[in-house]
């Protein structure tokens, strides 16, 4: 009963707090073509669910305590943290993200469908209780960092309805709960909360894997802020110097470009850098993740379990119930065919270019000439293939007697004569099979920072036809087959096991999307 009375009182406070901004928010916020529904809505007054209130009590949290939200694209998860009486933040709850669009990496320009990455400030004026996407809040993109880097776009939201054009789309039920938690924090006196958006969890393992991605320098800058929060469990003060973020305490808030680094933060960074160096020394490959158009949490797929396998082969226990979220209404899911294709992880070289695996050249097919050589004689065909006359002289007139032919393409070395022919054994067969299957790495040029260039580059690997190149009589005859073999051996890993889907990888940009 005490919880119920508290919830009713909270609704009264929230109504008084948000009433002055309802009209302004409804008229100005248009994220993902967001807008005002017909008439005023009472969705924004929905109480925090009893299960979440119980969770708060278990963790010693109050409804009015300040909050902080963190989002991760690759994992498709959003965390809500609350600050305790000791001044440190603790994790309240993790929510699966239903849909985000674009690729890993920051938003750069209007219409690129990128969901933003960075540190943003959310005020009550950015909350939209009458969103056409159930409920929403504006991330505040572009912030000072985005403007310093020339990024354009606006109205990038966290909202309900599983449809995204540069936004983070939650289910309506999840958005209702997140909105209610934020509303109560504002009612408790918090003037603004921090929204941290990351491409993935900023672990040493992930930083090692994506070290050669074109966005890696930006992600290392984001990790400085992530390290501050994770080491101190405190909201980092954020500044911008030039075109980079600056994180720290009061000195960063005052505009210092070289804020003091807390010893605990320095210790964490040193530990992570040491772990990264070890992983690189062990040969951890550098990779890049490519999407058709963003992703979503696996919990919303038709077939899912309470745990899912990652690329290392281990299973990760989900911090939420797949059964519960599987019953959520997803609404109109945006670009489901792109979502079904899932991410592809491609190995890249030091310049961020994809590395392909080409099969070793096939052994030459035995011919009559080869058989004749095996018997110790030379046929006319063999003589003509090597370009030598009957006298053992080459076309240049110089004698080749006594010189080995092994270094010449297509040359066949005669076997030594024995009284009994050597019978191939199992060891010989295994050695030949190993030698034939040994891959050869080749680097493909281009695609430094444009995801669409990867798809043009890899051609049929992702079921996307590329324009045919006019053939030349001789060169194409030699090059076509090895390249065809290489294209079918691209090193690609799907992040999570699931049913087979037809893959369509063309990155489609709808000009009507206003992200």
């Amino acid at each position: 009963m005490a919880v119920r009375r508290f919830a009713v009182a909270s609704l009264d406070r929230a109504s008084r707090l948000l009433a002055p901004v309802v009209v302004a928010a409804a008229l100005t916020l248009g994220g993902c073509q967001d807008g005002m529904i017909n008439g005023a809505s009472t969705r924004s007054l929905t109480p925090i669910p009893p299960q979440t209130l119980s969770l708060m009590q278990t963790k010693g949290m109050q409804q009015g305590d300040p909050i902080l939200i963190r989002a991760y694209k690759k994992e498709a998860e959003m965390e809500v943290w609350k600050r305790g009486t000791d001044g440190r933040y603790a994790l309240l709850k993790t929510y699966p993200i239903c849909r985000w669009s674009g690729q890993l990496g920051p938003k750069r320009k209007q219409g690129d469908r990128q969901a933003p990455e960075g540190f943003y400030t959310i005020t009550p004026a950015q909350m939209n209780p009458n969103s056409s996407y159930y409920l929403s809040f504006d991330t505040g993109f572009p912030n000072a960092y985005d403007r310093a880097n020339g990024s354009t776009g606006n109205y990038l939201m966290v909202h309900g309805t599983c449809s995204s054009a540069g936004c983070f789309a939650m289910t309506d039920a999840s958005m209702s709960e997140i909105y209610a938690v934020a509303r109560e924090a504002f009612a408790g006196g918090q003037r603004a909360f921090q929204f941290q958006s990351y491409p993935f969890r900023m672990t040493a393992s992930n930083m090692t894997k994506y070290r050669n991605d074109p966005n890696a320098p930006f992600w290392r800058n984001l990790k400085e802020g992530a390290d501050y929060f994770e080491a101190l469990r405190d909201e980092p003060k954020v500044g911008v110097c030039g075109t980079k973020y600056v994180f720290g305490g009061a000195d960063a808030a005052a505009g210092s470009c070289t804020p003091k680094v807390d010893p605990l933060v320095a210790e964490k960074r040193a530990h992570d850098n040491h772990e990264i160096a070890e992983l690189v020394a062990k040969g951890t490959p550098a990779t890049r993740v490519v999407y058709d158009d963003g992703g979503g949490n696996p919990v919303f797929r038709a077939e899912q379990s309470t745990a899912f396998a990652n690329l290392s082969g281990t299973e990760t226990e989900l911090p939420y119930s797949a059964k519960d979220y599987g019953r959520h209404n997803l609404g109109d899911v945006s670009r489901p065919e792109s979502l079904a294709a899932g991410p592809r992880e491609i190995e890249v070289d030091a310049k961020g270019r994809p590395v392909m695996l080409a099969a070793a050249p096939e052994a030459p097919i035995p011919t009559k000439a080869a058989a004749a050589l095996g018997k110790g004689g030379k046929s006319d065909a063999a003589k003509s293939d090597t370009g030598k006359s009957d006298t053992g002289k080459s076309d240049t007139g110089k004698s080749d007697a006594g010189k080995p032919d092994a270094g010449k393409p297509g040359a066949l070395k005669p076997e030594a004569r024995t009284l009994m022919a050597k019978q191939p054994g199992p060891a010989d067969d295994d050695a030949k099979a190993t030698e034939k299957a040994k891959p050869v790495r080749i680097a493909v040029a281009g695609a430094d920072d444009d995801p669409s260039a990867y798809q043009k580059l890899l051609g049929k690997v992702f079921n996307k036809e590329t324009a045919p190149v006019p053939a030349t009589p001789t060169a194409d005859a030699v090059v076509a087959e090895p390249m065809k073999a290489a294209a079918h051996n691209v090193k690609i890993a799907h992040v999570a096991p699931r049913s087979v889907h037809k893959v369509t990888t063309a990155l489609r940009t709808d000009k009507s999307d206003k992200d």
Side-chain angles (χ1 to χ4, degrees):
M1 292 301 293
V3 170
R4 186 176 183 84
R5 288 196 299 271
F6 189 86
V8 173
S10 298
L11 290 180
D12 293 337
R13 292 197 311 273
S15 298
R16 292 193 298 271
L17 177 70
L18 296 177
V21 301
V22 168
V23 175
L27 293 177
T28 58
L29 301 186
C32 296
Q33 298 180 354
D34 198 3
M36 185 173 181
I37 60 175
N38 295 328
S41 170
T42 59
R43 295 169 180 167
S44 62
L45 302 180
T46 303
I48 298 175
Q51 298 90 336
T52 304
L53 289 176
S54 176
L55 182 62
M56 287 185 188
Q57 292 175 354
T58 301
K59 297 188 175 187
M61 300 172 178
Q62 301 295 323
Q63 292 187 76
D65 289 341
I67 67 167
L68 181 147
I69 297 181
R70 312 181 91 196
Y72 307 92
K73 287 183 181 176
K74 184 175 180 292
E75 293 82 2
E77 293 178 338
M78 188 170 292
E79 298 174 341
V80 175
W81 294 68
K82 268 191 167 291
R83 193 175 69 194
T85 54
D86 60 353
R88 290 167 59 86
Y89 279 90
L91 179 63
L92 169 62
K93 193 172 180 180
T94 302
Y95 301 84
I97 297 174
C98 190
R99 194 77 170 88
W100 60 270
S101 60
Q103 306 289 329
L104 300 185
K107 182 173 184 63
R108 293 301 188 193
K109 61 183 179 180
Q110 179 90 21
D112 63 6
R113 296 186 63 81
Q114 286 291 104
E117 294 174 7
F119 287 70
Y120 299 89
T121 300
I122 315 300
T123 66
Q126 292 165 241
M127 309 292 287
N128 186 1
N130 295 310
S131 170
S132 58
Y133 286 82
Y134 197 76
L135 292 166
S136 67
F137 65 80
D138 192 331
T139 61
F141 179 95
N143 62 13
Y145 172 90
D146 300 320
R147 292 191 296 271
N149 284 273
S151 301
T152 58
N154 50 24
Y155 307 141
L156 303 183
M157 303 287 193
V158 175
H159 60 65
T161 306
C162 193
S163 177
S164 173
C167 297
F168 294 97
M170 315 298 290
T171 64
D172 291 350
S174 292
M175 193 61 221
S176 177
E177 186 171 328
I178 293 171
Y179 194 100
V181 171
R183 180 195 66 220
E184 295 304 316
F186 288 138
Q190 186 174 16
R191 301 179 65 181
F193 67 84
Q194 190 173 86
F195 177 71
Q196 303 176 3
S197 177
Y198 299 101
F200 41 74
R201 295 189 178 277
M202 311 302 277
T203 62
S205 174
N206 281 335
M207 298 303 291
T208 303
K209 288 174 60 177
Y210 308 122
R211 64 187 181 274
N212 291 343
D213 189 285
N215 294 304
F218 169 68
W219 292 339
R220 286 192 288 269
N221 189 198
L222 289 187
K223 187 177 183 297
E224 295 173 15
D227 289 344
Y228 186 98
F229 178 80
E230 290 167 15
L232 302 179
R233 287 293 190 267
D234 190 16
E235 177 183 318
K237 301 299 185 292
V238 183
V240 176
C241 284
T243 56
K244 291 188 64 178
Y245 279 114
V246 176
F247 304 98
D251 49 353
S256 173
C257 289
T258 55
K260 179 183 178 181
V261 179
D262 187 278
L264 291 177
V265 178
E267 181 181 352
K268 183 186 187 309
R269 290 177 184 171
H271 177 272
D272 286 355
N273 289 338
H274 178 72
E275 185 176 347
I276 290 170
E278 286 187 335
L279 290 171
V280 172
K282 290 178 181 178
T284 302
T287 60
R288 184 178 185 183
V289 181
V290 179
Y291 297 82
D292 275 13
D293 183 19
N297 196 286
V299 76
F300 298 113
R301 294 182 188 139
E303 297 178 2
Q304 78 281 336
S305 60
T306 56
F308 60 91
N310 58 30
L311 292 179
S312 64
T314 60
E315 289 193 346
T316 304
E317 191 70 24
L318 298 177
Y320 33 80
S321 169
K323 182 178 180 180
D324 290 344
Y325 282 94
R327 292 196 294 261
H328 282 203
N329 178 24
L330 304 186
D332 186 15
V333 180
S334 61
R335 302 191 176 187
E337 72 285 354
S338 297
L339 189 62
R344 278 85 64 198
E345 201 157 90
I346 303 170
E347 185 174 349
V348 296
D349 63 13
K351 293 185 178 181
R353 300 173 301 187
V355 174
M356 305 177 72
L357 296 179
E362 295 287 342
I365 299 175
T367 62
K368 291 182 180 180
L373 285 174
K375 295 179 180 179
K378 285 188 178 180
S379 67
D380 292 340
K383 294 176 184 177
S384 62
D385 285 345
T386 58
K388 296 181 180 180
S389 65
D390 293 342
T391 59
K393 294 182 179 181
S394 66
D395 291 342
T396 59
K398 295 181 180 180
S399 174
D400 290 336
K403 294 184 180 180
D405 292 338
K408 297 183 179 181
L412 298 172
K413 184 176 180 181
E415 296 180 357
R417 294 193 179 194
T418 57
L419 294 177
M420 180 177 291
K422 182 181 178 181
Q423 300 297 322
D428 296 328
D429 292 339
D430 292 342
K432 291 179 181 178
T434 302
E435 182 178 356
K436 181 183 295 186
K438 186 177 181 181
V440 179
R441 292 179 182 271
I442 61 173
V444 181
D448 286 335
D449 58 359
D450 181 8
S452 63
Y454 272 67
Q455 295 159 342
K456 295 176 183 177
L457 195 63
L458 298 175
K460 295 182 179 179
V461 175
F462 295 145
N463 273 350
K464 180 66 180 176
E465 295 288 347
T466 55
V469 178
T472 53
T474 56
D476 285 1
V478 177
V479 176
E481 288 303 318
M483 287 307 295
K484 183 177 179 182
H488 286 280
N489 289 276
V490 179
K491 191 172 183 180
I492 301 171
H494 282 261
V495 173
R498 57 184 179 278
S499 59
V500 178
H501 300 277
K502 182 178 179 181
V503 180
T504 305
T505 59
L507 285 178
R508 300 177 298 173
T509 303
D510 189 345
K511 295 183 180 179
S512 66
D513 292 328
K514 296 180 181 179
D515 54 343

